[in-house]
Amino acid sequence: MRLVGLWTQHQRKVFGYIHALVPSRHDADDILQETGMVVCRKFDEFKEGTDFVAWACQIAFWQIKAARQKFARSKVVFDDELMEAMAPQFAEMAKEVDARH
């Protein structure tokens, strides 16, 4: 039950993080769904009292990296170095998504 509450509360922030790194909203939606499945599978590894958004965004980061082959045909693709440099800033920005909505 705790997982459902945390995911519901923070899903928008995780999506904001993903969409900042993935240009297509459709692709970002797909990665969000995949991230949610991994979060469910690995929730027993989440340490209570730590930052759920940061943990979920780290999972999302690896889901984005795994999906990059699919995006290779796209005109707008960030290279790995740029994506890894931007990821921490977008993680911080994801915390502000709720305030902007």
Side-chain angles (χ1 to χ4, degrees):
M1 202 63 172
R2 180 82 175 123
L3 166 63
V4 174
L6 286 169
W7 185 249
T8 301
Q9 180 181 355
H10 299 296
Q11 182 177 2
R12 195 176 329 166
K13 293 176 187 173
V14 177
F15 177 77
Y17 171 79
I18 293 168
H19 195 30
L21 293 171
V22 177
S24 162
R25 182 177 176 91
H26 175 74
D27 292 335
D29 283 333
D30 289 346
I31 292 172
L32 179 67
Q33 288 180 8
E34 293 167 13
T35 299
M37 290 188 296
V38 175
V39 164
C40 287
R41 262 195 327 270
K42 294 187 173 223
F43 189 67
D44 60 329
E45 298 174 21
F46 174 68
K47 305 239 186 298
E48 194 68 34
T50 62
D51 187 345
F52 179 80
V53 173
W55 180 74
C57 285
Q58 187 63 37
I59 291 172
F61 177 80
W62 290 107
Q63 292 303 118
I64 292 166
K65 285 191 69 106
R68 288 187 52 77
Q69 289 178 348
K70 180 175 140 182
F71 302 139
R73 294 182 293 269
S74 174
K75 290 181 182 177
V76 179
V77 178
F78 300 136
D79 66 18
D80 285 342
E81 184 177 323
L82 177 61
M83 189 179 82
E84 289 181 23
M86 293 181 349
Q89 284 80 23
F90 288 129
E92 284 299 313
M93 289 171 55
K95 295 175 185 175
E96 300 174 18
V97 168
D98 281 340
R100 291 182 185 180
H101 282 273

